[in-house]
């Protein structure tokens, strides 16, 4: 036994070694096919604003929702892709004037701005809620440097703080010191490879200004202690926005300029722990598979004995329900619809993660991941229709057109309806995270103009295809199901079956939640792909084991049970989301809490359908296999 375990462990590490090149592929390059932008010396380098965000409210706002300096001329908004709109990005030009490789000492951004009492109160509220401003230069977001309290390790956070609260008073960061890095090989073509911001609060009147827009500190020492720009929350304020620019030559290559952003969070969970969890899951899955194979071989050998027919007839177990095991369940249309949606989600997730692992959907391609996911989901409707149509015909369904329409609308209607309701609350807060009406119409057009016809097309061919062949015939009279033991309770089955799949993915869940709710960048797509494969394997194995025990108890109502129980890990995902909300986030208001749990429930619902579909098909093909291996008179 020890020898077998040693061999299994060695083989598992060999498999991991094969996957390691895939795990690190995302650090090699980021956006294949996108050429870097070249600048000449003293060329204009645009600074654009993306949005303002806060982890306390989860409500992004447009940059000019507060009183900042306006650009010369009109505001010019970049045409965003679908993913950027859904993220709440509203990229717009700013009046910052920066020239490539040219340092600029203190400059006035615009003439002093007077804030009304209403504008001052809004500004102070955003500062109290810990809002960050996000700027970009050549599609490179700004970062703020800080040191960890316990280790003095330098870390970077996304964006810069709008202001801060000190001794009960609110202060505005109205002076930005921009540190930019460039890389050049020939001193002719320059590329932006770094963008850091150091925000400061400088009281109006602390700077000397001239007609050319230049400024300097009255003390002539920029690092000298100056008075801070306090905000009077209930009265008018006069603000002077200023900035200075410092360029630095760097050895960082253009392809590696995102590295600083991809390591900005304090990663408490190291690579070893991820690999270790994967090894444990593979090891447990291997043991589970060995036990099941040995037990099944004994069962099949016993059922196929010809020497003692009377003893075989008196046996109890899964063979006795062979005449009912393929009896169609209730609510076949709903089950077929959920299975079709699950297959649509599966192919969308698999393809998206795979291409993201290759670096094609990295954070550098702003909004590309979400855009690709939505378009793939829409076009995977043909697979959803085909799979759902064939299983619906196998379950002897007759109304294929109604079933096709239900498949095309059930899951998207839940998602769209929930987002539509939540969108009203976001609209009420005037947040840029609210979907514009035109975007809602575009999503509806994609749903009913592309996805629904593709589902019907797939359903047409799936329903025309021969149904899955069953190795045994179904009896006309249903068999009575005996009373089940206590541990076969469906609720207990859901709790037990969710442990192993959740164990395979909970580490990645931490990174995913951090990316979604704490405005961090997610880039571990290599490990995510491996975890996705392990998740599929573990869900399949757990589903097979649970269905085997159910059939051994002579309960043949496995169709719905396998789907529901296989999604048991979704319960743990929801429990983890509550734990994350309590321990990691600082959300206190009602609407942000509603948004968090609303979107989280959609994620849990999606995950339940995905894992339920995987488990159902694993159990279905397992049952066909074992009943095809025994002799039935």
């Amino acid at each position: 036994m020890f020898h077998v375990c040693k061999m299994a462990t060695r083989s598992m590490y060999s498999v991991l070694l094969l996957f390691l090149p895939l795990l690190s592929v995302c650090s090699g390059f980021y956006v294949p096919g996108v050429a870097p932008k070249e600048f000449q010396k003293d060329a204009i380098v645009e600074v654009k604003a993306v949005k303002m965000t806060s982890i306390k409210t989860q409500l992004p706002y447009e940059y000019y929702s507060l009183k900042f300096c306006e650009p010369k001329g009109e505001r010019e908004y970049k045409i965003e892709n679908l993913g950027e709109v859904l993220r709440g990005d509203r990229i717009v030009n700013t009046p910052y004037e920066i020239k490539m490789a040219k340092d600029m000492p203190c400059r006035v951004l615009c003439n002093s701005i007077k804030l009304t009492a209403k504008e001052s109160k809004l500004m102070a509220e955003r500062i109290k809620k810990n809002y960050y401003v996000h700027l970009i230069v050549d599609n490179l977001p700004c970062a703020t440097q800080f040191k960890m309290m316990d280790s003095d390790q330098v870390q970077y956070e996304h964006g810069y703080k709008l202001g801060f609260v000190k001794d009960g008073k609110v202060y505005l960061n109205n002076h930005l010191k921009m540190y930019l890095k460039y890389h050049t090989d020939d001193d002719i073509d320059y590329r932006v490879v770094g963008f850091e911001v150091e925000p400061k609060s400088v009281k109006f009147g602390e700077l000397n200004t001239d007609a050319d827009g230049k400024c300097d500190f009255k003390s002539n020492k920029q690092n000298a202690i100056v008075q801070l720009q306090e905000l009077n929350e209930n009265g008018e304020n006069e603000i002077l926005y200023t900035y200075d620019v410092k360029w630095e030559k760097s050895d960082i290559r253009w392809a590696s300029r995102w590295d600083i952003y991809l390591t900005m969070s304090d990663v408490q969970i190291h690579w070893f722990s991820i690999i270790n969890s994967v090894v444990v899951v593979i090891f447990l899955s291997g043991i589970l598979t060995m036990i099941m194979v040995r037990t099944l071989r004994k069962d099949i050998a016993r059922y196929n004995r010809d020497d003692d027919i009377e003893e075989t007839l008196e046996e109890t177990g899964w063979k006795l329900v062979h005449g009912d095991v393929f009896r169609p369940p209730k609510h076949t249309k709903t089950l077929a619809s959920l299975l079709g949606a699950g297959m649509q989600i599966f192919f969308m997730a698999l393809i998206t993660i795979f291409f993201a692992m290759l670096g094609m959907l990295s954070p550098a391609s702003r909004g590309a991941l979400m855009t690709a996911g939505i378009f793939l989901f829409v076009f995977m409707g043909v697979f959803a229709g085909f799979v759902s149509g064939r299983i619906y015909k196998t379950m002897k369904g007759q109304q294929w057109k109604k079933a096709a329409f239900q498949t095309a609308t059930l899951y998207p209607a839940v998602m769209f309806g929930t987002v539509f309701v939540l969108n009203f609350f976001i609209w009420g807060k005037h947040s840029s995270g609210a979907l514009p009406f035109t975007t809602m119409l575009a999503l509806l057009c994609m749903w009913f103009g592309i996805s629904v016809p593709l589902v019907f097309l797939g359903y047409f061919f799936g329903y025309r295809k021969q149904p899955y062949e069953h190795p045994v015939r179904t009896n006309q009279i249903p068999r009575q199901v005996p009373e089940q033991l206590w541990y076969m309770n469906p609720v207990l089955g859901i709790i037990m079956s969710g442990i192993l799949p959740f164990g395979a993915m909970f580490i990645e869940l931490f990174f995913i939640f951090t990316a979604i709710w704490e405005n961090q960048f997610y880039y571990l797509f290599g490990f995510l792909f491996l975890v996705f494969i392990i998740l599929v394997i573990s869900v399949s194995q757990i589903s097979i084991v649970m269905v085997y025990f159910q059939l051994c108890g002579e309960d043949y109502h496995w169709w719905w049970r396998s789907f529901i129980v296989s999604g048991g890990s979704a319960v743990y995902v929801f429990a983890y989301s509550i734990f994350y909300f309590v321990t990691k986030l600082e959300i206190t208001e009602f609407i942000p809490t509603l948004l968090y749990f609303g979107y989280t429930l959609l994620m849990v619902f999606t995950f339940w359908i995905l894992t339920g579909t995987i488990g159902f098909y694993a159990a279905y093909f397992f049952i066909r296999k074992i009943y095809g291996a025994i002799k039935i008179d």
Side-chain angles (χ1 to χ4, degrees):
M1 180 67 184
F2 175 76
H3 180 68
V4 171
C5 292
K6 188 175 180 181
M7 290 284 289
T9 306
R10 189 177 300 170
S11 64
M12 280 183 279
Y13 276 107
S14 301
V15 171
L16 282 172
L17 287 173
L18 290 174
F19 272 103
L20 281 177
L22 292 177
L23 305 183
S24 60
V25 71
C26 50
S27 64
F29 58 95
Y30 294 104
V31 198
V34 177
K37 187 175 181 180
E38 307 281 1
F39 294 89
Q40 307 300 314
K41 189 173 177 63
D42 292 338
I44 296 294
V45 179
E46 283 190 293
V47 178
K48 296 184 178 181
V50 181
K51 60 183 174 181
M52 290 183 283
T53 61
S54 169
I55 63 172
K56 286 187 176 181
T57 66
Q58 301 298 330
L59 292 168
Y61 286 96
E62 184 193 339
Y63 179 71
Y64 288 113
S65 61
L66 295 179
K67 195 71 175 287
F68 290 116
C69 292
E70 293 281 347
K72 295 177 181 178
E74 296 183 354
R75 298 180 191 173
E76 296 177 3
Y77 287 89
K78 172 184 172 291
I79 300 175
E80 292 100 353
N81 58 42
L82 183 59
E84 289 175 313
V85 174
L86 295 175
R87 281 162 39 97
D89 294 356
R90 300 292 183 269
I91 300 175
V92 64
N93 59 328
T94 63
Y96 291 101
E97 294 180 357
I98 297 178
K99 294 184 178 180
M100 171 56 73
K102 183 177 181 180
D103 292 347
M104 289 184 177
C106 184
R107 303 277 298 185
V108 176
L109 190 59
C110 64
N111 294 329
S112 61
I113 292 177
K114 288 187 177 180
L115 302 181
T116 63
K118 184 178 179 181
E119 291 168 341
S120 300
K121 186 176 181 180
L122 181 60
M123 183 83 77
E125 284 179 359
R126 297 271 177 90
I127 292 172
K128 287 178 180 178
K129 291 175 182 176
N130 204 27
Y131 267 87
Y132 282 73
V133 181
H134 300 280
L135 304 176
I136 55 172
V137 168
D138 188 28
N139 199 37
L140 195 65
C142 69
T144 308
Q145 190 180 111
F146 69 98
K147 287 187 177 181
M148 300 297 295
M149 295 286 290
D150 51 353
S151 62
D152 285 340
Q153 182 182 0
V154 175
Q155 291 284 330
Y156 293 88
E157 57 187 358
H158 191 197
Y160 73 88
K161 277 189 173 183
L162 177 63
F164 57 94
V165 179
K166 185 178 181 182
D167 299 327
K169 297 179 180 179
V170 180
Y171 299 94
L172 172 68
N173 286 325
N174 58 328
H175 178 83
L176 297 185
K177 189 170 182 64
M178 300 183 180
Y179 296 94
L180 291 117
K181 296 179 181 179
Y182 66 86
H183 179 84
T184 180
D185 293 321
D186 52 11
D187 291 328
I188 298 175
D189 295 323
Y190 295 77
R191 298 175 180 176
V192 179
V193 294
F195 182 26
E196 294 178 30
V197 170
E198 182 185 331
K200 288 185 177 180
S201 181
V202 181
K203 186 178 180 180
F204 181 76
E206 285 288 309
L207 295 171
N208 294 318
T209 62
D210 59 25
D212 295 330
K214 296 180 181 179
C215 58
D216 59 7
F217 289 82
K218 287 183 176 179
S219 62
N220 291 325
K221 293 181 179 179
Q222 192 165 333
N223 293 326
I225 297 175
V226 295
Q227 288 185 298
L228 306 178
Q229 178 62 60
E230 182 183 348
L231 275 182
N232 179 9
E233 299 181 49
N234 301 313
E236 294 184 350
N237 291 274
E238 190 167 7
I239 308 293
L240 182 66
Y241 290 102
T242 55
Y243 70 103
D244 58 83
V245 180
K246 179 72 175 175
W247 284 93
E248 179 187 343
K249 187 174 182 179
S250 174
D251 293 328
I252 299 172
R253 311 294 297 185
W254 187 86
S256 302
R257 65 180 189 161
W258 275 80
D259 288 359
I260 188 174
Y261 305 95
L262 303 184
T263 56
M264 56 169 49
S265 59
D266 179 26
V267 181
Q268 301 171 354
I269 303 169
H270 302 288
W271 303 116
F272 176 77
S273 60
I274 296 177
I275 295 175
N276 189 53
S277 67
V278 171
V279 170
V280 170
V281 169
I282 294 176
F283 186 72
L284 291 175
S285 300
I287 293 175
L288 203 62
T289 305
M290 286 171 60
I291 294 171
M292 281 297 298
V293 168
R294 290 182 64 183
T295 306
L296 273 173
R297 280 178 179 170
K298 287 182 180 179
D299 285 350
I300 293 171
R302 186 172 71 249
Y303 289 148
N304 287 338
R305 281 186 303 185
D306 294 327
D307 54 347
D308 196 345
I309 298 175
E310 291 183 3
E311 184 181 341
T312 305
L313 290 174
E314 293 173 3
E315 285 280 357
T316 58
W318 53 268
K319 184 183 178 182
L320 294 181
V321 294
H322 67 83
D324 298 276
V325 70
F326 292 111
R327 187 179 301 280
K330 297 179 181 178
H331 312 296
T332 52
K333 279 202 293 286
T334 306
L335 180 59
S337 301
L338 291 172
L339 291 173
M343 201 56 68
Q344 198 171 359
I345 296 166
F346 174 80
F347 282 114
M348 178 268 290
L350 182 67
I351 297 171
T352 303
I353 295 172
F354 179 76
F355 281 104
M357 180 185 69
L358 298 179
M360 297 180 184
L361 301 174
S362 78
S365 306
R366 197 179 306 277
L369 184 69
M370 195 174 293
T371 304
I374 291 173
F375 274 93
L376 277 171
F377 179 81
V378 168
F379 285 100
M380 291 300 109
V382 67
F383 291 102
F386 183 84
V387 169
S388 182
R390 192 172 184 194
I391 198 69
Y392 182 63
K393 187 172 185 179
T394 303
M395 293 186 292
K396 296 180 172 56
Q398 301 296 324
Q399 302 170 315
W400 75 270
K401 292 179 182 178
K402 288 184 178 179
F405 183 75
Q406 189 169 323
T407 301
T409 55
L410 179 61
Y411 171 74
V414 172
M415 301 294 287
F416 187 86
T418 306
V419 170
F420 185 74
V421 172
L422 293 175
N423 209 44
F424 279 111
F425 291 97
I426 306 174
W427 267 333
K429 287 288 187 178
H430 307 289
S431 168
S432 64
L435 292 181
F437 183 70
T438 52
T439 305
M440 301 283 275
L441 283 179
L443 290 173
L444 280 173
C445 290
M446 288 173 63
W447 177 11
F448 287 100
I450 302 175
S451 182
V452 172
L454 285 177
V455 170
F456 268 88
L457 179 67
Y459 228 96
F460 175 75
F461 287 104
Y463 195 77
R464 285 186 62 187
K465 196 172 178 64
Q466 287 294 323
Y468 293 109
E469 292 184 8
H470 294 155
V472 291
R473 293 191 302 270
T474 301
N475 295 336
Q476 291 184 347
I477 302 174
R479 180 188 177 88
Q480 187 176 0
V481 178
E483 187 176 350
Q484 298 295 298
L485 296 171
W486 65 271
Y487 56 80
M488 293 307 298
N489 185 285
V491 176
L492 190 61
I494 291 172
I495 295 172
M496 291 172 59
S497 64
I499 296 174
L500 187 60
F502 180 74
M505 61 164 291
F506 84 95
I507 293 176
E508 286 305 307
L509 208 58
F510 168 80
F511 290 105
I512 293 170
F513 270 66
T514 301
I516 295 173
W517 302 113
E518 297 189 39
N519 297 310
Q520 300 293 337
F521 293 112
Y522 185 84
Y523 65 100
L524 304 169
F525 294 108
F527 274 110
L528 185 61
F529 184 77
L530 176 58
V531 167
F532 185 76
I533 300 300
I534 296 295
L535 177 69
V536 171
I537 294 171
S538 58
V539 167
S540 302
Q541 291 175 333
I542 287 294
S543 176
I544 289 169
V545 171
M546 298 304 290
V547 165
Y548 175 76
F549 283 135
Q550 182 180 346
L551 294 178
C552 287
E554 300 178 29
D555 181 0
Y556 53 86
H557 300 299
W558 63 271
W559 298 81
W560 274 105
R561 175 81 74 89
S562 65
F563 183 83
I564 294 171
V565 167
S566 298
S569 51
V571 176
Y572 290 91
V573 173
F574 182 67
Y576 180 81
S577 70
I578 297 173
F579 170 79
Y580 188 89
F581 179 83
V582 173
T583 59
K584 296 291 183 182
L585 300 180
E586 301 175 15
I587 296 176
T588 54
E589 297 181 9
F590 169 71
I591 290 180
T593 303
L594 180 69
L595 293 176
Y596 176 84
F597 284 104
Y599 288 129
T600 300
L601 283 172
L602 290 182
M603 290 166 55
V604 170
F605 178 61
T606 302
F607 187 72
W608 172 64
I609 292 179
L610 171 64
T611 51
T613 302
I614 294 168
F616 172 85
Y617 276 100
Y620 183 52
F621 291 122
F622 166 76
I623 291 171
R624 289 176 61 204
K625 190 75 174 175
I626 63 172
Y627 281 96
I630 60 173
K631 297 176 182 177
I632 304 294
D633 294 332

